[in-house]
């Protein structure tokens, strides 16, 4: 175990035993360390910092008085986590049974494959580890569903996202500086995961920024996801310094996305822009939209940015040539790369595994693909896909029942921020696990669907400086 892992363990347990929401902030910050092994030894399964922190976070939430029963209620509530609960039960059953039923009968690309090629399906350690990851993601969503019903928790969640964004930005800058100074070896203690790490790759003569992630795709996707979350939730932050910090973070995240030169991130950034543009148009046309505050400022900034780009292009057209060449190579010529060929093989073999199993799937942890939808279908079959996709669709389209104005706004912007992430999953998702960050967001959305708990409310001054009402769930001791 490297010294950064040991230090993070100390911080995690210190935050766990302390009062207040420190563990939530640490959970989001740990998302920047995607290549750090938290377990001793150099082999076996990888436990990343965010997963380790999530496990402790779940335990801290559930030991609070009454939260176990509230968790059971949330897990069985048809409007919250019932579909996700059913998916988990079926997926775990399939992880045990399906690899044995179809053993030796179906060709797959194993999750642990380090070479180009396929193998014959057989039960393996991947079925256990991927089941563990899926259970942890479910438990994270459940924990956030239990505690996410108060404006205080939502304020902490937003601020934790901002802290996580600056952690991702900082690690990207450090990666770029150490590479430029040829001292990248100082980051080796942070890159101890046992899977392949593509950290010193160049594109068009430029360093592909990866931060402390295993590859540029992971880093760029994290930047896009955080930029979307911050931009859509920006009106909910406190006016003044907090909103200025949000705007600076958004600009830095977009810049880091471009420097990652990841085709997945570029597509995600384009989808993010389209969703934001459509949302802006809706808010402009809907006079009663509660998110019309300062819309004239947004439009003015967009017009100013477009004018600046146009003026720069007129004055010096060649300035954009490197950017155009990079986008053309990483996106439009992607099909000619070795990575595209390999990932296409994964998807093709994963899709045929779904078909050859008669639509039942071959079990969690049995296949590696490069498309999250195919991963779900190939692993859990048609029934599992209906449950998982049904759960996500339900959370994205359903309207919170009896929710306050603050809860409704929070749910709306969180849904919008999730859309680019889900699109990027379809381009690079290698395993069925939806991930800790997305699970936390889905849990916060599901929390707004909880039935009002009656008159047990009292006014509370939130960290955002607004009055909120807090009902039943125990959250962080303060």
């Amino acid at each position: 175990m490297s010294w950064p892992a040991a230090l993070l363990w100390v911080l995690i347990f210190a935050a766990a035993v302390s009062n207040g929401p420190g563990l939530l902030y640490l959970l989001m910050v740990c998302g920047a360390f995607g290549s750090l092994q938290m377990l001793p030894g150099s082999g076996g399964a990888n436990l990343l910092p965010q997963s380790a922190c999530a496990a402790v976070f779940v335990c801290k939430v559930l030991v609070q008085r009454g939260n176990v029963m509230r968790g059971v209620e949330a897990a069985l509530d048809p409007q919250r986590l019932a579909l996700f609960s059913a998916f988990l039960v079926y997926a775990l059953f399939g992880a045990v049974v399906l690899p044995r039923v179809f053993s030796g009968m179906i060709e797959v690309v194993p999750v642990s494959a380090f070479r180009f090629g396929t193998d014959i399906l057989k039960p393996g350690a991947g079925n256990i580890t991927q089941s563990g990851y899926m259970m942890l993601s479910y438990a994270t969503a459940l924990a956030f569903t239990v505690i996410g019903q108060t404006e205080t928790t939502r304020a902490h969640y937003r601020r934790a996202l901002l802290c996580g964004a600056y952690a991702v930005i900082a690690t990207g800058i450090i990666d770029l500086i150490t590479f430029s100074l040829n001292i990248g070896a100082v980051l080796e203690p942070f890159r101890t995961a046992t899977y392949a790490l593509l950290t010193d790759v160049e594109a068009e003569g430029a360093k592909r920024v990866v931060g402390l992630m295993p590859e540029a795709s992971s880093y760029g996707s994290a930047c896009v996801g955080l930029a979307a979350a911050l931009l859509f939730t920006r009106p909910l932050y406190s006016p003044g310094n907090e909103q200025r910090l949000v705007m600076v973070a958004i600009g830095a995240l977009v810049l880091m996305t471009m420097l990652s030169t990841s085709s997945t991130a570029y597509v995600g950034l384009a989808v993010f822009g389209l969703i934001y543009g459509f949302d802006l148009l809706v808010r402009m046309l809907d006079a009663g939209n509660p998110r019309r505050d300062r819309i004239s400022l947004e439009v003015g900034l967009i017009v100013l940015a477009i004018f600046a780009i146009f003026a720069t292009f007129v004055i010096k057209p060649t300035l954009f040539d490197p950017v155009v060449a990079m986008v053309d190579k990483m996106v439009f010529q992607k099909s000619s790369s070795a990575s595209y060929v390999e990932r296409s093989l994964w998807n093709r073999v994963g899709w045929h595994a779904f078909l050859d199993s008669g639509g039942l799937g071959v079990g969690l942890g049995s296949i590696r693909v490069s498309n999250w939808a195919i991963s779900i279908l190939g692993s859990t079959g048609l029934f599992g896909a209906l449950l998982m996709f049904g759960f996500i669709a339900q959370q994205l389209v359903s309207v919170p029942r009896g929710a306050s104005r603050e809860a409704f706004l929070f749910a709306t912007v969180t849904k919008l921020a999730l859309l680019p992430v889900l699109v990027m999953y379809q381009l690079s998702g290698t395993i069925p696990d939806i991930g800790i960050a997305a699970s936390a967001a889905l849990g916060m959305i599901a929390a707004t669907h909880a039935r009002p708990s009656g008159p047990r409310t009292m006014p509370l001054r939130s960290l955002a400086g607004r009055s909120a009402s807090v009902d039943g769930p125990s959250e962080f001791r303060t």
Side-chain angles (χ1 to χ4, degrees), residues 416-438:
L416 292 172
L418 265 179
L419 294 177
V421 176
L422 295 175
V423 171
M424 290 187 290
Y425 277 4
Q426 309 314 313
L427 301 176
S428 60
T430 58
I431 57 177
D433 179 30
I434 196 171
I436 300 300

Side-chain angles (χ1 to χ4, degrees), residues 87 90 98 351 353-355 357-363 373-390:
F87 169 81
Y90 178 76
L98 294 174
W351 176 251
F354 165 70
L355 297 178
S357 66
L360 294 176
V362 292
I374 295 178
S375 181
I376 293 291
L377 284 167
S379 300
T380 63
L382 183 60
F383 183 65
L386 289 175
L387 291 173
M388 174 56 81
F389 299 149

Side-chain angles (χ1 to χ4, degrees), residues 101-178:
V101 171
F102 297 110
S103 180
M105 301 168 56
I106 297 177
E107 185 181 36
V108 297
V109 176
V111 170
S112 58
F114 287 96
R115 60 181 178 81
F116 187 89
T118 62
D119 202 350
I120 299 299
L121 175 67
K122 56 181 178 291
N127 301 121
I128 300 174
T129 57
Q130 294 303 317
S131 296
Y133 294 148
M134 185 62 74
M135 285 191 291
L136 183 57
S137 292
Y138 171 82
T140 301
L142 182 64
F144 277 94
T145 302
V146 169
I147 68 171
Q149 299 176 33
T150 69
E151 177 58 23
T152 300
T153 301
R154 289 190 287 268
H156 282 307
Y157 177 80
R158 292 193 297 268
R159 290 185 169 181
L161 284 177
L162 184 58
C163 292
Y166 275 103
V168 169
I169 294 167
T171 57
I173 294 174
I174 291 171
D175 175 49
L176 190 59
I177 292 175
T178 54

Side-chain angles (χ1 to χ4, degrees), residues 209-228:
V209 178
V210 300
L212 296 179
M213 297 290 192
E215 58 180 355
S217 177
S218 301
Y219 181 77
S221 299
C223 289
V224 174
L226 286 166

